Amino acid sequence: MAEIPKSYDPQGVEQQWYDRWVAAGCFAGKVDPTRESFAVMIPPPNVTGVLHMGHLLNNTLQDIMVRRARQEGKSALWLPGTDHAGIATQSRVEKDLRQNHGKTRHDLGREKFIEVASEWRDKHGGIILNQLRKLGASCDWDRKVHTLDAGYSQAVLQAFVTLYERGYVYRGKRMVNWCPVSQTGLSDEEVIMKPSKGSLFKMRYEVVEHPGTYLEISTTRPETIPGDSGVAVHPEDERYQHLIGKHVWRPFPRAQIRIVGDTAVEREFGTGVLKVTPAHDRTDFDIGKRHGLPVLDVMNPDGTMNADAGPLAGLERFKARAAAAKLLEELGALVKVEPYENTVGFSERADVPIEPRLSEQWFIHYPKIEEAKRAVTAGIIKFHPERWTKTYLHWLENIQDWCVSRQLWWGHRIPVWYPAGESDAKSAKSQIESPGEGWVQDSDVLDTWFSSWLWAHETMEPAALAKFFPTSVLVTGPDIIFFWVARMIMASLEYTGEVPFKDVYFTGIIRDKQGRKMSKSLGNSPEPLDLIAKFGADGLRFGLLTIAPKGQDILFDEDRVSQGRNFCNKLWNASRFRQMSGPMFDNGNLAAIASRLKPSQLDDDDFAILHGLAELTDATSQRLDEHEFTAYSQGLYTFFWGDFCDWYVEASKSRLADPALRDTCLAVQDLVLRQFLLMLHPIAPFITEELWHLLGYGAEKDFIQNHGTGTGGDLLRVLREHGVKMMTSKVADVGLLREFVAAVRAMKSQANQANKRDSLVTVIAKDVTAKALLEHNRDKVSRLAGLAELNFAADAGGRPGTVTPVGVVLLEVGDAMDVGAEKIRLGKEIEKIEKAVAAGEAKLSNETFVSKAPPQILDGARKQLNEAKAKRDELVRMLASLG
């Protein structure tokens, strides 16, 4: 066994272990009929994307799950891949063409553009997968899938054809969300509603039949006035009933437009008069359709005004807004302009306001909606946290047909063919290959999410599909619960008859310390690779998980994440201390280590740490089962740093110096370190693998992933088989001593004696048993608390002290005590304990609790209350003694 270096160097350890894992096939998802399966499908990142903080959290969680499954002996598969990202990739390639070559995609033509885009993807794509390797992601890289791979593309096209044949697909001219930058339609889920500050323009339209009579109308979009083909009022609105059927003058281009009565108009909103622009608003389109109003499209696909916009023709839409306001003012039709706040739909990708636009598009009526609801309500699929179930069901209750066509070239071209010279859907055929000569394929491509919704079942070959499908768990963000989660469930039910996964874990959103969402524009989003370089992959993973409560947003703070790096250093130093403390042995398994124990030499601290180790083993398993990752990481931290390093290692140093006791003490350390490395491995794979080998717990060609933690009962059983009988009373005694030492350290700190090793304390013992416990452990607690003397007295003599479970402790401070500060401290302690007393009394006065709680729980609650009251009374007495 090699010597453990003085300090831990993550960069020197991580890459060499990752390369060894890959070379040894550690990440291979093997189809093994003798093993239980566990499968996770990576949410495919954009092929041209780079790692961001959300990826870091999401993939760390997936890696924890998969590594743990391997330790449990399961046949585990984590399948990686990338998404072709239709709009995002095409936009970046077109930008490159414009800036570097002075060309557009139309200059190249479709085939050449796709060729150029493919070359650009191959050059710039895949970076994120290499970055995930730096994080330690243990994906089966041999199974990597890209959504434009030939096999996957074939499956995507066939899925469309199948839905077409089953009657779920149709083409229609409908109002869609239009992105003027990408120049394509968007589904509702690709539109992000954002608060917006703008202006409300109040204007007046003159009634044709009653010159000098005007209808006042408010709008936020005066640039669409040329597209007005009517105004609407509520048919029961007495103010305007007499005008229904008459006309008003549209200001520009000047024309007569009809006044209609429609119940969609809200009488109480504004003046109760609505301008109707059927080509540029969904509600207006419906009103216009009911009343036969003309549809006047006054905007080009790129967001500029077209020739039908009259005096606004050629202007960009927002410049046209200002020009329209000026025209209204010149015509005397502008009443006033006032600030206005509302929510505006933005294109998710281009981050510009969308335009409602009438367009011919392909739509899908979602299949298996009711079955998708039942899958979740019946518990076949479980959401974590469960609260997202309500959001999911609400969307399915109000689901709209899916606009799946995109006016792009990069992606899966829609497998629909028309006779040459025709574009009527009635004469179209849907099939993958051309029906023959004289047929032309639809020019649009499918929404990227149409390929992603097949991800769970179209990424595996038949043997793997039979083994790993349905998959075990999906880890994703709640922001794509509609985009992806719900759609995958429906697609899987439609195409396979089964759900795609059994559990869905929704992560929180990572925000900065001020609660703001991270973004490059705000400059508050750190680079994950920089963080990995700074803290090490394990340190970053561990630190991040300690501040990521289940399903809640995370307030990222580098100072708090540095806790992970510090923890790795603590583990390294503790392991090095073990190696330096004595000879290393055959530590290949628990039994080999347990055989070195001499039961008669075990003391209270040995029993306490081994008992805590068994409890932690079971708690760790339960927390991982329940996806309580923060509790998992914090539990490991508390045990190792507090129970093992701060207490057990320090308490046992004197025994290590005794040759007769040393080997048993070292065996206990080995039991703890070996078991702890196994529990820590899923979250900190690199350092645990390194120490596993340096401490001799694994053979040279063995890996830690091949060893499970077992249960706490397994650990205790091995100990019993080697003559160790656990003594729980000793465990409780150590707990009392630790509280005593902690109280003394706190008192010393307040008295500016924290670093003194010769402090004096006097103890008024709670009872004879407590006094005997302290006397028996006098040397140990004096050493750990930094005391020169520990004396006993019958009473405090009116002096203030601190209440502990073994009695009141008085710190001898001579004339240096600040009475005022001591009064404040005692007052705060009393206030704190009063809350505990009130809570205990409320619990025991609750009839429901008292009637349903098991006897042992009731007894424990009563005991806690009595102890809290006793401590309160002692503190009150101490405060009174200060005058």
Side-chain angles (χ1 to χ4, degrees):
M1 284 168 276
E3 181 180 336
I4 298 177
K6 186 175 181 180
S7 59
Y8 178 52
D9 175 23
Q11 280 69 37
V13 168
E14 292 170 356
Q15 190 60 55
Q16 62 113 348
W17 273 118
Y18 199 89
D19 291 343
R20 287 178 65 177
W21 290 331
V22 172
C26 290
F27 306 157
K30 297 175 182 176
V31 179
D32 185 344
T34 66
R35 296 189 179 196
E36 182 184 346
S37 68
F38 183 89
V40 178
M41 318 303 286
I42 198 170
N46 289 356
V47 67
T48 56
V50 293
L51 198 67
H52 59 61
M53 295 301 294
H55 291 132
L56 196 155
L57 173 63
N58 186 296
N59 287 280
T60 294
L61 294 175
Q62 291 177 79
D63 199 43
I64 289 172
M65 295 178 183
V66 175
R67 288 183 182 273
R68 186 209 182 197
R70 295 192 189 103
Q71 286 185 275
E72 293 175 320
K74 296 176 181 177
S75 181
L77 167 66
W78 185 10
L79 193 146
T82 53
D83 187 280
H84 65 277
I87 295 176
T89 301
Q90 177 159 323
S91 297
R92 294 182 69 176
V93 174
E94 289 195 77
K95 181 179 179 181
D96 180 70
L97 282 173
R98 286 194 306 272
Q99 293 182 346
N100 298 319
H101 304 282
K103 293 184 178 181
T104 69
R105 60 173 163 143
H106 299 287
D107 294 329
L108 271 64
R110 186 170 194 136
E111 288 189 14
K112 182 62 177 177
F113 176 81
I114 292 173
E115 180 183 322
V116 169
S118 298
E119 292 171 355
W120 194 90
R121 172 200 61 193
D122 295 341
K123 180 180 178 181
H124 299 278
I127 293 174
I128 191 169
L129 298 185
N130 291 325
Q131 292 175 324
L132 287 176
R133 289 177 170 88
K134 294 287 186 184
L135 182 64
S138 59
C139 301
D140 185 346
W141 299 110
D142 291 336
R143 290 183 176 274
K144 181 180 66 176
V145 176
H146 175 55
T147 50
L148 284 182
D149 287 347
Y152 195 86
S153 294
Q154 190 79 359
V156 171
L157 299 179
Q158 184 57 54
F160 181 91
V161 172
T162 299
L163 287 183
Y164 188 98
E165 292 171 346
R166 293 176 181 176
Y168 289 108
V169 179
Y170 64 93
R171 185 169 174 82
K173 193 166 188 177
R174 285 178 43 179
M175 190 67 66
V176 299
N177 306 301
W178 185 264
C179 174
V181 172
S182 306
Q183 294 191 42
T184 182
L186 304 173
S187 67
D188 290 344
E189 292 73 34
E190 292 171 294
V191 176
I192 307 300
M193 302 306 295
K194 295 184 180 184
S196 179
K197 292 182 179 180
S199 299
L200 186 66
F201 302 85
K202 182 176 283 190
M203 51 198 181
R204 60 182 193 170
Y205 285 17
E206 186 176 18
V207 179
V208 174
E209 288 84 357
H210 301 282
T213 300
Y214 296 89
L215 291 181
E216 289 192 351
I217 303 170
S218 294
T219 183
T220 59
R221 306 179 66 208
E223 70 275 13
T224 63
I225 287 174
D228 291 356
S229 58
V231 296
V233 298
H234 196 283
E236 297 176 5
D237 192 332
E238 295 179 354
R239 293 172 296 176
Y240 309 116
Q241 279 180 326
H242 65 290
L243 295 177
I244 294 174
K246 292 182 168 54
H247 303 79
V248 294
W249 287 106
R250 185 180 64 203
F252 54 85
R254 184 173 171 82
Q256 295 184 22
I257 55 177
R258 188 154 49 100
I259 302 171
V260 300
D262 198 283
T263 55
V265 179
E266 297 180 36
R267 282 176 282 185
E268 297 77 18
F269 183 77
T271 61
V273 184
L274 178 74
K275 78 184 200 67
V276 183
T277 318
H280 298 281
D281 184 273
R282 292 192 179 196
T283 300
D284 292 7
F285 176 76
D286 293 337
I287 292 174
K289 193 173 182 180
R290 286 192 288 270
H291 298 279
L293 299 178
V295 178
L296 307 175
D297 186 351
V298 296
M299 199 174 291
N300 294 313
D302 64 355
T304 58
M305 309 306 292
N306 65 25
D308 292 330
L312 305 180
L315 294 175
E316 186 273 332
R317 55 181 172 156
F318 295 115
K319 290 182 179 179
R321 182 171 299 175
K326 187 177 181 181
L327 274 172
L328 287 170
E329 188 173 14
E330 291 172 355
L331 293 169
L334 185 64
V335 178
K336 67 175 178 178
V337 181
E338 54 190 11
Y340 187 70
E341 293 186 16
N342 63 340
T343 55
V344 175
F346 277 68
S347 166
E348 184 201 27
R349 294 292 183 195
D351 197 32
V352 296
I354 58 99
E355 286 291 336
R357 181 174 177 81
L358 201 59
S359 177
E360 282 277 357
Q361 302 285 349
W362 285 99
F363 295 87
I364 287 178
H365 179 68
Y366 285 102
K368 296 292 189 289
I369 296 174
E370 293 306 316
E371 291 86 341
K373 293 178 190 175
R374 279 197 299 275
V376 174
T377 56
I380 300 168
I381 298 174
K382 294 182 175 65
F383 284 178
H384 311 271
E386 194 276 333
R387 69 174 183 272
W388 289 110
T389 298
K390 184 176 180 181
T391 304
Y392 168 85
L393 294 174
H394 177 75
W395 183 71
L396 287 177
E397 290 289 348
N398 299 276
I399 197 167
Q400 301 292 315
D401 287 353
W402 181 7
C403 174
V404 294
S405 48
R406 298 290 180 270
Q407 288 65 56
L408 304 172
W409 288 353
W410 178 251
H412 300 98
R413 193 167 178 179
I414 292 178
V416 171
W417 304 80
Y418 308 93
E422 294 187 32
S423 60
D424 189 348
K426 293 179 181 177
S427 60
K429 291 184 178 180
S430 180
Q431 56 190 66
I432 297 175
E433 302 297 334
S434 171
E437 189 176 345
W439 289 82
V440 178
Q441 189 173 1
D442 194 289
S443 61
D444 290 349
V445 299
L446 288 164
D447 178 7
T448 299
W449 292 102
F450 188 88
S451 58
S452 300
W453 80 329
L454 308 174
W455 190 251
H457 63 275
E458 290 293 356
T459 44
M460 294 180 274
E461 79 280 5
L465 192 67
K467 176 66 178 175
F468 295 111
F469 187 83
T471 61
S472 304
V473 61
L474 175 72
V475 181
T476 189
D479 52 331
I480 56 174
I481 191 171
F482 314 131
F483 278 128
W484 199 40
V485 179
R487 287 173 175 168
M488 262 206 293
I489 293 172
M490 288 185 280
S492 184
L493 289 168
E494 176 67 18
Y495 295 115
T496 74
E498 297 186 79
V499 296
F501 29 70
K502 300 160 192 170
D503 290 275
V504 182
Y505 181 90
F506 292 106
T507 65
I509 296 173
I510 300 182
R511 302 180 181 276
D512 65 12
K513 288 188 287 187
Q514 301 175 44
R516 299 175 303 175
K517 194 169 181 178
M518 288 188 168
S519 69
K520 288 185 178 180
S521 61
L522 289 175
N524 64 349
S525 181
E527 289 293 337
L529 289 186
D530 292 343
L531 295 175
I532 291 174
K534 184 174 183 178
F535 300 118
D538 289 335
L540 179 58
R541 288 162 61 122
F542 190 91
L544 184 61
L545 263 290
T546 61
I547 61 170
K550 183 176 180 180
Q552 296 180 32
D553 287 357
I554 299 105
L555 298 182
F556 181 81
D557 184 346
E558 272 200 34
D559 292 338
R560 294 179 68 189
V561 171
S562 66
Q563 174 180 295
R565 177 189 57 195
N566 298 341
F567 181 75
C568 288
N569 289 335
K570 188 78 169 180
L571 173 63
W572 188 263
N573 293 335
S575 300
R576 187 168 183 269
F577 176 78
R578 159 62 191 96
Q579 193 182 65
M580 295 171 61
S581 296
M584 305 303 293
F585 300 87
D586 175 13
N587 294 323
N589 56 57
L590 283 178
I593 301 174
S595 67
R596 292 160 35 208
L597 294 170
K598 293 179 180 178
S600 62
Q601 294 182 349
L602 295 174
D603 71 359
D604 296 2
D605 295 308
D606 294 322
F607 288 123
I609 198 67
L610 291 173
H611 182 269
L613 184 65
E615 285 192 330
L616 179 67
T617 299
D618 289 337
T620 294
S621 181
Q622 180 179 352
R623 288 162 183 162
L624 288 174
D625 284 343
E626 296 174 353
H627 306 304
E628 296 288 353
F629 298 104
T630 297
Y632 157 63
S633 59
Q634 290 177 343
L636 294 173
Y637 183 96
T638 299
F639 173 85
F640 193 80
W641 199 297
D643 298 356
F644 183 65
C645 293
D646 282 3
W647 184 265
Y648 180 78
V649 172
E650 294 300 322
S652 61
K653 281 182 176 178
S654 61
R655 296 167 65 216
L656 286 173
D658 186 340
L661 301 174
R662 185 191 65 183
D663 287 354
T664 289
C665 190
L666 290 177
V668 172
Q669 286 196 28
D670 281 331
L671 282 170
V672 173
L673 285 169
R674 183 185 187 278
Q675 185 71 359
F676 188 79
L677 290 177
L678 289 170
M679 288 185 280
L680 180 66
H681 175 66
I683 192 174
F686 295 110
I687 193 171
T688 52
E689 189 78 79
E690 178 78 353
L691 291 173
W692 181 260
H693 289 269
L694 288 175
L695 290 170
Y697 301 149
E700 182 180 349
K701 294 185 178 180
D702 188 21
F703 296 98
I704 191 172
Q705 73 170 31
N706 299 325
H707 302 270
T709 63
T711 66
D714 294 334
L715 174 62
L716 296 177
R717 176 182 52 77
V718 170
L719 292 173
R720 285 195 302 272
E721 290 172 353
H722 290 83
V724 177
K725 183 179 179 182
M726 295 299 292
M727 303 176 69
T728 53
S729 61
K730 302 295 185 182
V731 175
D733 287 346
V734 171
L736 296 175
L737 294 174
R738 289 184 63 182
E739 288 193 55
F740 173 80
V741 169
V744 173
R745 287 174 174 172
M747 294 173 70
K748 289 178 61 181
S749 178
Q750 290 175 346
N752 295 318
Q753 295 186 22
N755 297 320
K756 288 186 65 176
R757 309 303 298 170
D758 59 352
S759 299
L760 309 177
V761 297
T762 299
V763 180
I764 297 87
K766 180 180 179 181
D767 51 36
V768 175
T769 303
K771 183 177 182 182
L773 177 65
L774 287 173
E775 286 183 325
H776 181 69
N777 292 278
R778 185 193 298 263
D779 291 344
K780 179 169 66 179
V781 297
S782 295
R783 177 163 45 85
L784 293 173
L787 302 177
E789 290 185 26
L790 190 161
N791 301 312
F792 294 92
D795 61 67
R799 292 180 295 166
T802 296
V803 179
T804 76
V806 292
V808 177
V809 185
L810 309 176
L811 177 65
E812 305 297 343
V813 293
D815 298 327
M817 186 180 76
D818 184 334
V819 175
E822 185 64 12
K823 283 184 175 181
I824 292 173
R825 184 187 73 81
L826 289 172
K828 290 180 178 179
E829 284 289 314
I830 292 170
E831 183 180 349
K832 182 179 177 181
I833 203 71
E834 284 283 15
K835 292 180 180 178
V837 170
E841 289 176 337
K843 181 185 288 187
L844 289 170
S845 63
N846 186 318
E847 293 183 5
T848 303
F849 171 76
V850 174
S851 63
K852 293 185 177 181
Q856 65 270 25
I857 298 296
L858 272 178
D859 291 341
R862 293 188 180 108
K863 182 180 178 182
Q864 283 184 338
L865 178 59
N866 291 334
E867 289 176 349
K869 286 181 175 180
K871 185 174 182 179
R872 177 197 59 190
D873 295 343
E874 181 63 25
L875 289 169
V876 170
R877 184 195 64 74
M878 289 164 55
L879 180 62
S881 71
L882 293 175

